[in-house]
Amino acid sequence: LERQALSEGICRQLVEDKSTRLEFTMQNDIYSLYTACCDVSTINQIKVTVIYPATARLIDKFSAHQTHMVRETIEDYQHVTRPYLQETAKDLKWVHNILDRVSERDRVLCEDDDPETGFVLAAD
């Protein structure tokens, strides 16, 4: 379950309220996760992710965007998506940290080390 988006007024109140406490949850590379504990009557606890330093690309990634639904075939993936991903390699250090068991071991729910079909299922 996740809360609805908070209004700007509630967010401002959380940030400005001196009684708001951040409790550290975990860190993986530049991503840190905190729980915000506050005395605001409409809120109990909120999941807080801190990205520091935040690049322009990360700010854009977490900004509001129009969404689209696409049904991708195997051929679409092989001829369009995969080549695009290979050309625009992104920083996947945080993914490798999970796969290499450097970070977030307590969040891994299930894993299969098979070299062909292996996977890792982790809590978000």
Side-chain angles (χ1 to χ4, degrees):
L1 298 176
E2 291 188 12
R3 286 188 49 88
Q4 293 284 334
L6 300 173
S7 70
E8 182 179 337
I10 294 289
C11 290
R12 185 176 316 280
Q13 189 176 357
L14 281 171
V15 171
E16 293 173 352
D17 190 336
K18 295 195 185 311
S19 67
T20 300
R21 298 178 325 279
L22 291 180
E23 295 178 0
F24 178 77
T25 304
M26 50 100 16
Q27 183 173 3
N28 181 352
D29 195 29
I30 63 171
Y31 299 90
S32 298
L33 184 64
Y34 294 82
T35 299
C37 301
C38 56
D39 295 329
V40 178
S41 61
T42 57
I43 300 170
N44 187 8
Q45 290 188 339
I46 302 166
K47 176 181 171 183
V48 178
T49 301
V50 175
I51 303 172
Y52 178 83
T55 63
R57 184 175 65 85
L58 287 168
I59 292 169
D60 183 57
K61 175 183 175 182
F62 289 101
S63 297
H65 298 300
Q66 185 176 7
T67 59
H68 302 277
M69 183 169 184
V70 176
R71 292 187 180 198
E72 181 181 61
T73 65
I74 293 171
E75 291 79 19
D76 291 336
Y77 176 78
Q78 291 173 339
H79 295 101
V80 179
T81 306
R82 188 171 187 196
Y84 172 78
L85 293 174
Q86 290 170 331
E87 290 172 15
T88 59
K90 305 211 185 240
D91 179 14
L92 298 177
K93 183 177 179 181
W94 69 274
V95 174
H96 291 284
N97 283 347
I98 295 170
L99 296 175
D100 297 338
R101 298 172 177 90
V102 172
S103 297
E104 304 188 42
R105 287 297 306 146
D106 60 322
R107 301 174 75 80
V108 173
L109 304 174
C110 181
E111 60 187 314
D112 180 344
D113 291 327
D114 184 282
E116 300 253 343
T117 61
F119 65 92
V120 173
L121 175 65
D124 186 8

